[in-house]
Amino acid sequence: MEDLEKIAKEIRKDILLMLNMAGSGHVGGSLSCVEILVSLYFKVMSYDAKKPSDENRDRFVLSKGHAAPALYAVLSKAGVFPRDMLWTLRKLGSPLQGHPDSKYLPGVEASTGSLAHGLPQACGMALAGKLDKNPFRVYCLMGDGEMDEGLVWEAFMSASHYKLDNLCVVIDNNTLQIDGRCRDVMNIYPLEEKFKAFGLYTKSVDGHKFSELISAFEEAKNNKRSPTVIIAHTIKGRGVSFMEDKVEYHGVAPTDEELKKALEEIDEGD
Amino acid sequence: MKATRDAYGDALLELGRKYKDVVALDADLAGSTKSVKFKEAFPERFFDMGIAEANMVDTSAGLALCGKRPYASSFAVFVTGRAFESVRQSIAYQKLPVVLCGSHGGINLGEDGGSHQAVLDISLMRTLPNMKLVVPADYNETYTAVLSTIKDDGPVYIRTSRAKSPVFTEGDFVFGRGRALRTGRDVTLVACGFLVWYALEAAKLLEKEGIDASVIDMATVKPIDEEMLYDFAKSTKKMVTIEEHTIFGGLGSAVAEFLSEHYPIKLKRIGIPDVFGESGTGDDLLCKFGFNAAGISNTVREWLKKN
C-alpha cells in the first residue's frame, strides 16, 4: 500500500505539471480519480504495459474522458509510453489529445470525451469477451455528473440484461459538475438505489483509500451474477488543499504560482 | 420485385456463415430490417439492444474494438438521427469497421408518416469523416454491397428500402464506382436507390420525345465517383440528380459540390424540397414528390426547355 500511496503522489504531480504546461484541461476530476486508476493499473488489472494490445489483457475505459491527464500519467508510469510524452498534452500533433483518442495512443482502449459513450463501448468489449470465452475483465470509470446522460442508463440496462459479470464500473462520485453541485444542477441521487433497481451489484467505498478500493475490486471479480458498480466517494481536486471540493477547479489548468504551491504541498506530505 | 432490405438480411446471413467474427445488433426491429434471418441462424452472435439505438451503436464500437465485425441495423431515421452522436464519437471518430444499415430509407415506407421517414440520413452520414455511404439500386446490388463491406477497415452506412422494387442489375457493385446504365448525348441523370429504376424508365419516356439521356447508378454516394461525373459532365453538359432525400446535403449536393469546383455545368436536383414527409401509400408519395417515371421525365423536359 505504501508503494501505491507513493505512486499516487507522483501521478498527482505529473497531472499538475502536464496541465500547467498545456495551459488548459481538467484538474479537479483528474485529481479525484487518482487512487482508482492507480489501484487498477498497479494492483487489480491483468495488464502488461509492454503489450498494450495483448488480446487477453483487462481493458480500462475512461468514460469521463476529461480526466485524460490522470489516465496518461498512469499509463506512462506503468510503462506504456515514456514520461516525456506527457509534456506534449494538448499540443498539435500529440497523441495525448485533450480527450483520450484510441487511434493515436496505445493503451487508450476507446475514444471518449463526449460523455456517456465509454460505458456502452465497455459493454461491447465485455460482450466480445463473453463470445470468445476469454476471461479478461473490463473496467469503466465514470463521473457522477455523467449520470445525467440518458445513454448511461440504456447501457446499464443492457449490461444487466446480458449479465456482464466481467464488467466493473466505478463512479468517481466527487459530487461536483461544471455548473455546480450535482444535486443542484440535476439531482441524480440516490445512485445506489438506482443501480440496484437496474440489477447491478453495488458497493460504496472511500475512493481515496486503496484498501477499500482493492477489496471492492476483488469482490467484483468474485461476483458471477451481474455487473458490479463501485460508487467511489471522492473529493474533487483531492491532494491540493486550495482545489479540494471547489467547482472553480473543474476545467482549468494550474497557473505557475498554483503549481508551485500544489507541488510543495504534495511533497510536504512525505 | 424484391425489397433491398431483404438483400441486407440475406447477405448478413451469408457473412455470418463465412465469418465467425461477424455479429449483428438490432434495436427491436429485426423483423423489419431483416436482421432476423441472422438472429435465427446465429442467436449467440445476435444482440437485440431493445429500443435504444444510441446504445446499440456504441456497443457495436466496443465489439469492434475487440476484433468483432458488427452489423447494426434499425430504421434509417433512428440509426442515423437518434444515434447520430454515437455514430460520430464512437464509430466515425475511431474509424471502426462497423456497418450501419438504415432500413426504411426515404418516404416510400408510406403510411407511418413523416416521423418515421428518413429524408436526411444521407446528409447526416455524408458529413462524417471516415464514413462510406451506399444507397444501392436493387436487391442484387444491395446483396453485393453488403458482402463487400467485410473487406472494409472503416465504417459504412447502407441505406435500404421497405418497398419492393424491380431487380435489374447484375449485382456487379464496386465501392466508389458509379455504373453507367445508359449513354446518351443530351443530359445525364445521376440517381441512387431504387429511383435508378425510375430514372431508366424516365429516360425511355424522354427518348420518345427526342431527348437522349444517360443514366448513372451512383450507389456509392461517398466517396463519389468523380471520374465518372467528370466524363459525363463533359459529354452531356447538363446533369440531373435524383434521390429520395432532401436536396440539401445528399447526392445532389455531392454532385453540385464536385461540378462547381471542377466542371461547372447546369445542374438540376430532383429530391425532396425543404419539407418533411407525410402519411400516404408509398406510391402516392413517390408520385407527389415527382419520383415516378412520368414525374422525373416531366421535370427533366421542362428544365431542359429553360436551360
Side-chain angles (χ1 to χ4, degrees):
Chain A
M1 295 296 171
E2 260 177 45
D3 286 349
L4 296 181
E5 298 284 0
K6 188 167 165 275
I7 293 170
K9 279 186 180 177
E10 287 165 0
I11 298 296
R12 282 204 162 84
K13 288 195 277 184
D14 278 353
I15 290 171
L16 291 160
L17 277 166
M18 63 200 288
L19 281 169
N20 170 262
M21 283 191 215
S24 68
H26 299 83
V27 67
S30 294
L31 292 173
S32 65
C33 64
V34 170
E35 282 79 11
I36 298 166
L37 283 167
V38 169
S39 309
L40 286 169
Y41 278 92
F42 294 92
K43 185 78 184 170
V44 174
M45 279 168 49
S46 166
Y47 189 82
D48 180 351
K50 297 291 164 225
K51 291 189 237 166
S53 302
D54 187 311
E55 63 178 33
N56 301 317
R57 72 192 184 281
D58 284 349
R59 271 85 168 160
F60 171 79
V61 177
L62 184 68
S63 199
K64 47 171 285 185
H66 54 283
L71 176 63
Y72 297 153
V74 166
L75 286 176
S76 142
K77 185 81 190 159
V80 179
F81 56 83
R83 184 162 176 258
D84 282 355
M85 267 172 70
L86 293 179
W87 323 131
T88 67
L89 173 71
R90 290 178 168 241
K91 301 273 196 292
L92 191 64
S94 170
L96 278 67
Q97 294 286 294
H99 293 80
D101 192 330
S102 66
K103 294 191 298 293
Y104 302 124
L105 191 62
V108 170
E109 301 285 359
S111 294
T112 51
S114 170
L115 290 172
H117 296 287
L119 177 62
Q121 293 193 78
C123 290
M125 293 175 186
L127 272 179
K130 292 259 173 204
L131 265 180
D132 291 341
K133 299 190 168 48
N134 186 325
F136 70 75
R137 292 183 62 73
V138 184
Y139 295 91
C140 180
L141 178 62
M142 311 189 75
D144 46 357
E146 190 175 6
M147 299 297 115
D148 294 357
E149 289 281 3
L151 174 56
V152 167
W153 302 96
E154 291 184 12
F156 275 131
M157 206 187 317
S158 62
S160 182
H161 180 82
Y162 284 106
K163 299 190 174 55
L164 301 179
D165 56 9
N166 51 351
L167 174 72
C168 179
V169 179
V170 190
I171 312 295
D172 180 3
N173 195 90
N174 61 33
T175 73
L176 292 177
Q177 56 193 107
I178 302 181
D179 277 353
R181 295 253 156 230
C182 295
R183 66 164 186 265
D184 298 329
V185 176
M186 178 49 63
N187 190 12
I188 36 97
Y189 305 111
L191 280 176
E192 194 159 340
E193 284 82 346
K194 287 187 180 70
F195 293 139
K196 280 181 180 158
F198 271 68
L200 306 156
Y201 179 67
T202 309
K203 186 92 190 161
S204 278
V205 301
D206 179 334
H208 299 303
K209 281 215 171 99
F210 284 112
S211 57
E212 287 195 29
L213 282 165
I214 291 164
S215 93
F217 283 127
E218 292 306 320
E219 202 177 323
K221 282 184 191 173
N222 295 323
N223 169 27
K224 300 291 174 203
R225 296 178 308 277
S226 69
T228 298
V229 181
I230 298 171
I231 301 175
H233 296 283
T234 57
I235 295 166
K236 203 157 179 169
R238 170 76 172 194
V240 180
S241 60
F242 59 89
M243 292 182 181
E244 283 191 3
D245 202 33
K246 292 276 195 319
V247 79
E248 308 85 279
Y249 283 97
H250 171 90
V252 291
T255 61
D256 291 348
E257 199 183 325
E258 285 172 327
L259 175 70
K260 191 167 167 275
K261 231 171 117 186
L263 293 178
E264 278 169 11
E265 197 179 300
I266 292 169
D267 282 334
E268 272 168 26
D270 279 333
Chain B
M1 299 278 276
K2 277 168 129 177
T4 52
R5 61 175 166 149
D6 280 306
Y8 174 73
D10 292 339
L12 181 58
L13 180 62
E14 181 62 19
L15 287 172
R17 286 193 187 115
K18 277 191 184 155
Y19 305 96
K20 66 175 176 45
D21 284 337
V22 168
V23 296
L25 302 90
D26 209 298
D28 198 33
L29 286 169
S32 298
T33 64
K34 301 302 175 185
S35 66
V36 67
K37 294 175 189 186
F38 184 99
K39 175 185 179 176
E40 283 163 0
F42 308 106
E44 74 290 351
R45 282 193 269 154
F46 177 85
F47 304 105
D48 203 321
M49 302 309 291
I51 310 161
E53 296 78 11
N55 190 39
M56 171 180 77
V57 169
D58 276 303
T59 304
S60 303
L63 283 157
L65 285 165
C66 286
K68 300 295 169 198
R69 298 298 304 245
Y71 285 71
S73 48
S74 179
F75 281 3
V77 70
F78 303 135
V79 77
T80 64
R82 187 163 195 135
F84 182 79
E85 167 58 8
S86 297
V87 179
R88 182 195 69 82
Q89 168 74 37
S90 302
I91 307 292
Y93 186 53
Q94 296 191 91
K95 197 173 186 270
L96 293 177
V98 173
V99 176
L100 301 172
C101 175
S103 75
H104 295 58
I107 49 160
N108 70 77
L109 69 91
E111 292 82 350
D112 278 355
S115 62
H116 282 55
Q117 292 162 359
V119 298
L120 37 84
D121 54 323
I122 298 174
S123 159
L124 286 173
M125 294 296 102
R126 198 169 77 85
T127 197
L128 290 167
N130 300 327
M131 183 65 76
K132 288 182 180 175
L133 179 44
V134 188
V135 187
D138 69 356
Y139 178 96
N140 291 344
E141 196 167 73
T142 309
Y143 188 85
T144 319
V146 174
L147 288 187
S148 76
T149 56
I150 197 75
K151 297 187 190 85
D152 258 284
D153 61 355
V156 181
Y157 173 64
I158 295 188
R159 182 205 235 201
T160 63
S161 296
R162 173 179 183 244
K164 288 184 174 155
S165 59
V167 181
F168 60 99
T169 76
E170 300 298 318
D172 46 344
F173 169 85
V174 180
F175 248 119
R177 289 267 161 254
R179 289 188 312 124
L181 301 176
R182 192 187 152 108
T183 308
R185 289 184 314 272
D186 302 325
V187 63
T188 302
L189 312 184
V190 184
C192 64
F194 71 67
L195 293 190
V196 174
W197 169 258
Y198 290 98
L200 278 170
E201 291 294 296
K204 286 182 198 162
L205 295 176
L206 291 166
E207 189 179 13
K208 288 178 189 159
E209 303 170 25
I211 298 168
D212 192 11
S214 294
V215 176
I216 293 175
D217 168 7
M218 198 59 90
T220 315
V221 178
K222 186 185 176 185
I224 202 158
D225 189 342
E226 298 188 341
E227 206 177 318
M228 178 167 268
L229 284 178
Y230 186 85
D231 290 345
F232 278 79
K234 209 170 166 185
S235 68
T236 64
K237 300 288 190 293
K238 289 190 178 75
M239 211 167 251
V240 177
T241 57
I242 305 160
E243 63 191 313
E244 200 186 345
H245 185 270
T246 168
I247 54 170
F248 301 116
L251 175 68
S253 296
V255 172
E257 288 159 18
F258 174 77
L259 291 179
S260 59
E261 282 191 340
H262 299 281
Y263 202 89
I265 54 164
K266 291 277 185 183
L267 172 73
K268 170 70 183 170
R269 293 169 299 155
I270 297 179
I272 297 167
D274 200 11
V275 296
F276 288 104
E278 60 185 284
S279 288
T281 66
D283 284 343
D284 284 349
L285 285 162
L286 289 176
C287 189
K288 178 188 158 101
F289 286 104
F291 288 140
N292 54 11
I296 293 169
S297 63
N298 283 341
T299 305
V300 172
R301 183 199 325 108
E302 296 310 310
W303 179 69
L304 285 175
K305 273 184 197 164
K306 292 181 212 149
N307 289 281

